Amino acid sequence: VSPGNCWPLQGHQGQVVIRLPARVHLTAVAVQHIAKEVSPSGTVISAPRDMAVFVSLCWALLAGIWPWGKAGVDADGEEETLLGTFTYDVAQELIQTFPLKNAPLPRAFSRIKLLVKSNWGNPAYTCIYRVQVHGKVA
């Protein structure tokens, strides 16, 4: 992880869909940011703060195999469900791992959506340095 070499999101919130190299029975997501001491600005206010993880359930709901709750609908009309919400704490370790609810999931997924709801105070942009998905390859 190199300071300044991040995945930038315009503003204090945003989202990214990550395609995994294989289908995975998801258990957790880890997020990493840089240390304040190596930051080009001397701060970490561009670090993501409140986040949520979703998977698309369109096919799973049609097949009648998704056992948990009601799914939402994203901007493209695809149904999705929330796997977890969490807060990245800039005062803690640089790499923070967050378990997903109902993990390990009974179905394997090849994509996840990471929704950044807020950052630590930068109104112009949010930097995502590293996202790791944990689980068992299907």
Side-chain angles (χ1 to χ4, degrees):
V1 176
S2 301
N5 188 14
C6 72
W7 198 349
L9 302 174
Q10 186 174 9
H12 65 280
Q13 58 188 12
Q15 64 184 23
V16 336
V17 174
I18 301 169
R19 189 171 122 193
L20 307 173
R23 291 178 50 232
V24 176
H25 293 276
L26 305 168
T27 58
V29 171
V31 176
Q32 180 178 357
H33 200 269
I34 59 171
K36 181 178 177 180
E37 295 76 23
V38 298
S39 171
S41 68
T43 71
V44 289
I45 62 173
S46 67
R49 186 175 186 160
D50 296 312
M51 293 173 276
V53 173
F54 296 86
V55 290
S56 174
L57 297 179
C58 186
W59 58 270
L61 289 174
L62 291 174
I65 56 175
W66 192 256
W68 304 294
K70 189 173 182 181
V73 176
D74 72 8
D76 297 324
E78 277 196 44
E79 299 197 27
E80 57 185 24
T81 196
L82 175 67
L83 295 184
T85 59
F86 47 90
T87 299
Y88 182 88
D89 185 348
V90 294
Q92 300 298 320
E93 296 295 318
L94 299 179
I95 300 174
Q96 297 172 30
T97 302
F98 307 97
L100 301 176
K101 68 180 183 178
N102 301 312
L105 301 176
R107 300 292 296 180
F109 293 92
S110 59
R111 288 179 175 83
I112 66 161
K113 179 169 90 174
L114 178 69
L115 174 68
V116 177
K117 298 178 180 182
S118 64
N119 68 20
W120 284 89
N122 189 328
Y125 62 91
T126 300
C127 276
I128 298 174
Y129 277 91
R130 180 176 288 161
V131 175
Q132 296 173 318
V133 177
H134 299 268
K136 183 177 179 183
V137 175

